[in-house]
Amino acid sequence: MQRYRVLAIEDDPGNKLVLANIFKLSGCIDGIFEENGDAILEIVGTCTVDLILMDITLSNSTLRGEPVDGLELTRQIKKIQCPEGLLTPPVVLLTAHCMAGDADRFLNASGADAYIAKPLQDIEGFIVWLSLTVEEFRARAAALKPEPATAA
């Protein structure tokens, strides 16, 4: 079975527990939890993560010693250049902000790839969606890898 590396940027202990349980239930998601902005950018810069789940309201997160929210972290992540053949992983906003217009506003402000409202209503559907999103990301990344040279 394929394993997926998902970076979850969440600072609420209850939400971390819910995500950890979802990852465990999936049987295929290896969750990495982080809320420090500098550490997040370092992790993403390794280009070894398949997907990022980003909370928008991060009351305990900092970047370079300054408070930072998920929108700014997403903008910073989108600036990261991975080596040739690797892609910056998709960023999915996972947030309790779910008023009419929030999705478009937050996607436009951050450059994120998708938006999902909390609380999650369909856990199994969420796991399937995450798996499909990661597989699509991996397929795009595989298409970018240069062909190995053949001996003549």
Side-chain angles (χ1 to χ4, degrees):
M1 174 180 271
Q2 288 276 3
R3 304 292 305 171
Y4 306 128
R5 289 178 42 106
V6 174
L7 174 59
I9 302 165
E10 174 64 67
D11 63 350
D12 179 87
N15 290 337
K16 283 183 185 178
L17 182 60
V18 168
L19 284 173
N21 286 330
I22 290 170
F23 296 163
K24 185 176 180 179
L25 176 67
S26 78
C28 64
I29 298 173
D30 296 323
I32 304 162
F33 289 88
E34 185 58 66
E35 60 186 76
N36 176 283
D38 299 298
I40 290 163
L41 296 182
E42 187 175 313
I43 292 166
V44 175
T46 67
C47 301
T48 60
V49 175
D50 295 306
L51 186 123
I52 300 166
L53 293 175
M54 177 73 71
D55 187 20
I56 290 177
T57 305
L58 299 168
S59 51
N60 300 319
S61 296
T62 60
L63 180 63
R64 297 181 212 60
E66 297 293 322
V68 67
D69 65 12
L71 300 177
E72 179 58 26
L73 276 173
T74 300
R75 287 189 288 270
Q76 294 299 315
I77 287 168
K78 291 299 186 174
K79 293 179 184 178
I80 293 174
Q81 296 293 315
C82 287
E84 185 177 344
L86 297 174
L87 292 174
T88 306
V91 178
V92 178
L93 301 176
L94 183 61
T95 180
H97 294 281
C98 56
M99 300 296 288
D102 278 352
D104 288 337
R105 184 166 53 96
F106 292 135
L107 288 168
N108 290 332
S110 67
D113 300 282
Y115 165 99
I116 297 175
K118 291 189 282 191
L120 297 169
Q121 301 297 320
D122 177 5
I123 302 302
E124 290 179 7
F126 177 65
I127 292 169
V128 169
W129 184 88
L130 282 178
S131 299
L132 292 172
T133 302
V134 169
E135 287 299 327
E136 178 186 333
F137 167 71
R138 286 183 174 179
R140 282 193 336 240
L144 288 178
K145 289 191 183 204
E147 294 291 323
T150 57

